[in-house]
Amino acid sequence: MQAFERLYRLHVGRVLGLCLRMTRRRDIAEDCVQQTFVRAWRNLGAFEGRSAFGTWLHRIAVNEVLTYARNHGTRVEGSDADEPVEEISEGAGELDVGEVVDVERALATLPEGARHVVVLQAVYGYSHEEVADMLGIAVGTCKAQLHRGRRLLRERMGMKELES
Amino acid sequence: MNEKSRDPLDLALDSLPREMQPDRDLWAGIRTQIEVSPSASFPATPRVAARPWMRLAAGFLLVVASSFTTYLLVQQSAQKQVQQARQSAATQLQQAPSLPAMPVSFGGREELGKGYLQAREALDAEFKRQVEMLPPVTRAKLERNLADLRRAASEISATLAEHPSNPLLQELLLSTYQSELALLGSVGEVTASTLNQPSRETRL
Amino acid sequence: MKFLRVIGATALCFAIAAHADSVEKRVPADSRGEVEIVNVSGDVQVSGWDRPEVEVSAELGRGVERLDVLGDEKNRRTTVKVVLPGGHSASGSSDLIVRVPRDSALTINTVSADQTISDVHGVQRLQAVSGTINTQTWAEELAIKTISGDVVVRAHKNPSNITVTSVSGGISLADAVGELSMETVTGDMSINMESLTRGRIRTTNGDVHLRTVLARDARLDAEAINGDLRFTLRNPLDAEFDIETFNGEIDNCFGPKSERKHEFAPGNVLRFKEGAGSARVRVKTLNGGVEICKE
């Protein structure tokens, strides 16, 4: 148990970061973090060391986030609707027309499908194949969502296209 | 990639902290839940009589059943996707039986329509026959890729419906149909030359 | 004489015991002949040598019926085949180590095993269901087809036509010159060419990185649905570029910026010329990003 607590202390920061950016609500994210570690404890026997422990934890965490979303009726992958944001960053909320925001806030305003992909791929560095596998979507859908997410981020942050 | 690393968006995303600290210590709640229900090892051992050989047999059967169920689910899921994608593509073709003649790379012209449908049907039938002979892992990968291809075709078709006069979309849809035919044909070709005897594969 | 001709035309077969067995056989072969190898159940390793002979060393798996090494009457065509009994499955794999005359034309078909070819200078046609294909080429033609195996090719800067088709396997090509046709569904491509005269690249979801010099009057067509396409072009560069994506981003190092094709609809386009524009580069994607830079 002590050893597992050490693992918790080592990994809780990244797991919470991932859950928070995917769910956008701290209370839900903290619940997901707890469920992640409980499930990890219960399935320690299934961890075969093929990936890093942190990666395995992230997979469980993503599963928890998706399960919560399914059970509480928030969205589906690929939904176009922008949802109101709670408290990830100061002043978070719906954007005013033409408002330019920082990246954390812009990320929070992305539609769920694009946001999940951008968080996993662009923030936490997973490959397209890993992200597609974690989210249960096709690689093509994953790439399409990433491009969409990046385009929306640029727009909302008032960025122009990359210049030479 | 030097240019991508100068991209302001990438710099901004890189600047985001990966770790965030909880407002409260979550360990207490985790520990309580863990202590209430002890960890189970995988695969879960069913409740059976105390005799060790029965527990062993039950565990073995559970692993085998679980693996077989997973295999079936992968196959059924892939097959369902292929069927749905094929249905969708066939519907698209029926609604738009031919696209305008489009130039393809290096000259030459292709037209979709009745000829495409016939070729596709014939190749599909041969594909189904040949793919039965493949090792299950390869077969599953192949069917997933074919589903990906057909999903791409459906996505382009749907987008084309919103932008019907977009030549880029027309060209990409044509390409995707051609890629599908090429895939169906090449699987048959590759398997026929090696698996044309009634022998079974010996390893994955 | 007639008796010898009959011997020469007769199949050379070996009855194999029911358990794993080592077999070795050598047959005469034309130094510029054809060699065909079929193995359903094991790796194939081929190397070229300077003898007018085909030599096969095999570790045959359990239940293999026999290893056929057949030469035609004039030794122009040699076939090497692992034969399994109908209705039975071999429980082990049968790996083949084959030596062929260096200038042979080579055809290999395998199912779930690796192919490794070295120092064979003739035309190669390689097909596999899965398993890696690793080869080198000096010839004017190389054709590879695979479903899920990776493909690794090292060319030797001789002008050639290289065709690789893969479903999910990745493709890696180095030191090629000339014509190229690459197609994957999800496999990624890493292509390094000395010079390209004609190129056709098509992928659905794979990512592509092509590094090359574009020869004068070269033609390069590249298409992706969701894959990202990246081009690193070396000097001299004299080409006209026509790049279009529906949802993807276009990044380039040359100066011109991409433009929205329509004010209120998706679509980015970038058209520009470097030098006189003798070569033509066409790139189209649906969602994939495109990057074009100079080395």
Side-chain angles (χ1 to χ4, degrees):
Chain A
M1 182 72 76
Q2 264 189 338
F4 192 70
E5 185 183 352
R6 272 201 291 276
L7 283 174
Y8 160 80
R9 302 264 171 230
L10 199 56
H11 291 281
V12 65
R14 279 180 75 98
V15 173
L16 180 61
L18 187 146
C19 289
L20 197 45
R21 290 196 174 99
M22 287 182 76
T23 62
R24 305 182 305 172
R25 279 182 50 177
R26 187 162 277 270
D27 55 344
I28 298 170
E30 289 181 352
D31 273 348
C32 283
V33 168
Q34 286 188 312
Q35 289 312 308
T36 296
F37 281 95
V38 169
R39 273 189 59 198
W41 168 262
R42 290 184 182 146
N43 291 290
L44 270 179
F47 176 62
E48 293 171 344
R50 282 191 206 146
S51 63
F53 186 74
T55 303
W56 185 65
L57 272 182
H58 278 178
R59 283 184 174 269
I60 298 174
V62 169
N63 211 16
E64 288 299 317
V65 168
L66 296 178
T67 303
Y68 180 89
R70 274 195 299 273
N71 293 342
H72 293 81
T74 63
R75 116 16 127 171
V76 269
E77 284 303 326
S79 160
D80 281 355
D82 284 335
E83 299 140 32
V85 175
E86 289 211 14
E87 42 168 294
I88 250 206
S89 53
E90 267 189 49
E94 293 184 358
L95 295 178
D96 295 328
V97 172
E99 188 182 353
V100 171
V101 297
D102 67 26
V103 64
E104 190 78 85
R105 189 153 169 239
L107 191 53
T109 67
L110 290 183
E112 192 169 273
R115 186 176 72 251
H116 286 179
V117 171
V118 171
V119 167
L120 288 169
Q121 210 265 1
V123 178
Y124 286 94
Y126 291 105
S127 69
H128 290 302
E129 286 76 19
E130 285 169 324
V131 174
D133 194 42
M134 283 174 166
L135 294 175
I137 59 177
V139 171
T141 307
C142 180
K143 291 185 180 183
Q145 290 284 31
L146 179 67
H147 283 297
R148 186 162 166 247
R150 287 176 65 94
R151 180 169 54 82
L152 289 170
L153 283 174
R154 278 190 212 282
E155 283 171 17
R156 291 168 190 190
M157 293 167 66
M159 284 180 178
K160 295 180 185 177
E161 291 203 28
L162 182 68
E163 296 181 22
S164 61
Chain B
M1 210 181 304
N2 290 336
E3 290 67 30
K4 279 244 154 79
S5 68
R6 292 204 307 268
D7 181 347
L9 177 58
D10 287 319
L11 292 173
L13 287 166
D14 281 345
S15 72
L16 286 172
R18 280 13 180 201
E19 297 194 10
M20 291 181 176
Q21 293 309 314
D23 287 343
R24 56 192 172 90
D25 188 3
L26 302 174
W27 173 249
I30 294 167
R31 182 177 169 156
T32 305
Q33 290 193 59
I34 287 171
E35 283 171 348
V36 161
S37 55
S39 68
S41 55
F42 179 84
T45 318
R47 290 172 187 271
V48 290
R51 290 184 191 150
W53 71 265
M54 286 184 72
R55 278 204 295 273
L56 199 63
F60 173 74
L61 284 172
L62 196 64
V63 170
V64 167
S66 157
S67 310
F68 185 60
T69 306
T70 307
Y71 166 77
L72 278 183
L73 284 174
V74 165
Q75 295 291 67
Q76 285 168 8
S77 166
Q79 281 174 358
K80 205 180 260 185
Q81 285 177 348
V82 170
Q83 277 168 11
Q84 284 171 352
R86 189 186 309 140
Q87 238 168 340
S88 169
T91 307
Q92 297 292 338
L93 274 175
Q94 280 156 19
Q95 288 171 355
S98 63
L99 293 181
M102 294 294 293
V104 295
S105 303
F106 307 120
R109 290 179 166 264
E110 299 287 332
E111 264 187 293
L112 295 181
K114 196 175 171 190
Y116 166 76
L117 283 173
Q118 284 171 344
R120 194 169 171 276
E121 259 177 53
L123 282 172
D124 204 28
E126 182 59 19
F127 170 81
K128 274 188 255 187
R129 199 180 71 78
Q130 294 286 356
V131 90
E132 294 284 329
M133 292 190 256
L134 295 177
V137 169
T138 308
R139 183 181 165 181
K141 268 193 202 173
L142 185 55
E143 288 177 340
R144 268 200 300 273
N145 274 263
L146 187 56
D148 266 358
L149 202 52
R150 288 167 170 171
R151 198 176 295 117
S154 294
E155 183 189 341
I156 301 170
S157 295
T159 313
L160 196 51
E162 293 170 23
H163 308 274
S165 57
N166 188 306
L168 173 64
L169 293 177
Q170 291 173 344
E171 187 177 336
L172 292 177
L173 182 58
L174 177 63
S175 272
T176 307
Y177 287 146
Q178 288 171 341
S179 293
E180 184 202 25
L181 288 184
L183 184 151
L184 292 173
S186 75
V187 169
E189 196 185 315
V190 169
T191 54
S193 52
T194 42
L195 297 173
N196 57 5
Q197 52 182 338
S199 58
R200 294 211 223 118
E201 63 276 5
T202 57
R203 71 178 230 212
L204 293 179
Chain C
M1 224 15 158
K2 190 176 175 181
F3 173 74
L4 287 173
R5 275 206 293 273
V6 166
I7 291 292
T10 302
L12 302 171
C13 303
F14 298 88
I16 308 298
H19 51 273
D21 215 349
S22 293
V23 176
E24 191 169 304
K25 184 61 190 173
R26 223 182 252 200
V27 299
D30 190 293
S31 59
R32 287 182 182 277
E34 295 172 21
V35 180
E36 183 184 355
I37 303 170
V38 178
N39 191 5
V40 173
S41 67
D43 293 342
V44 173
Q45 194 177 311
V46 182
S47 56
W49 64 353
D50 52 13
R51 294 172 184 261
E53 291 174 315
V54 170
E55 178 189 87
V56 182
S57 306
E59 290 288 333
L60 299 178
R62 186 185 293 275
V64 168
E65 186 171 301
R66 65 180 189 271
L67 171 68
D68 279 353
V69 182
L70 303 111
D72 68 3
E73 198 173 271
K74 294 182 181 174
N75 301 324
R76 278 208 51 84
R77 192 177 164 78
T78 309
T79 305
V80 179
K81 190 168 186 173
V82 174
V83 180
L84 302 179
H88 301 289
S89 59
S91 58
S93 63
S94 301
D95 297 335
L96 303 181
I97 298 175
V98 187
R99 292 210 266 188
V100 304
R102 189 169 289 115
D103 291 324
S104 301
L106 183 63
T107 301
I108 306 178
N109 290 299
T110 57
V111 178
S112 301
D114 297 338
Q115 296 179 17
T116 308
I117 300 106
S118 58
D119 208 16
V120 174
H121 291 225
V123 165
Q124 295 174 41
R125 291 198 172 80
L126 312 173
Q127 288 190 156
V129 172
S130 63
T132 302
I133 296 179
N134 190 322
T135 188
Q136 299 181 49
T137 178
W138 288 262
E140 69 276 12
E141 199 179 320
L142 170 67
I144 299 178
K145 259 196 185 138
T146 174
I147 294 175
S148 63
D150 291 336
V151 176
V152 178
V153 179
R154 191 170 146 240
H156 288 268
K157 304 182 186 179
N158 297 348
S160 61
N161 187 338
I162 297 177
T163 301
V164 183
T165 306
S166 166
V167 176
S168 60
I171 302 174
S172 171
L173 169 65
D175 297 337
V177 170
E179 299 186 24
L180 183 73
S181 174
M182 304 261 161
E183 180 157 358
T184 72
V185 178
T186 53
D188 295 332
M189 303 184 207
S190 171
I191 306 165
N192 211 323
M193 296 186 76
E194 285 294 300
S195 165
L196 180 137
T197 53
R198 205 157 159 96
R200 179 179 176 275
I201 295 172
R202 186 182 281 184
T203 180
T204 304
N205 293 337
D207 293 332
V208 174
H209 187 186
L210 168 65
R211 291 182 200 82
T212 189
V213 169
L214 292 172
R216 191 171 169 70
D217 299 325
R219 294 290 180 266
L220 172 60
D221 257 292
E223 259 178 33
I225 304 303
N226 295 310
D228 295 328
L229 304 180
R230 186 176 154 213
F231 302 92
T232 305
L233 303 173
R234 297 194 290 271
N235 282 324
L237 184 55
D238 177 13
E240 190 175 334
F241 296 88
D242 172 6
I243 304 163
E244 196 175 346
T245 88
F246 195 73
N247 280 326
E249 299 173 354
I250 304 176
D251 298 334
N252 83 93
C253 307
F254 293 94
K257 285 186 282 185
S258 66
E259 296 166 355
R260 292 288 293 246
K261 197 163 182 191
H262 309 282
E263 197 179 341
F264 300 109
N268 290 323
V269 70
L270 177 62
R271 294 191 176 106
F272 68 97
K273 206 187 278 194
E274 279 286 302
S278 73
R280 302 263 173 87
V281 177
R282 267 178 94 236
V283 181
K284 310 285 175 195
T285 83
L286 182 72
N287 297 318
V290 179
E291 181 187 296
I292 299 204
C293 278
K294 261 195 219 180
E295 193 161 274

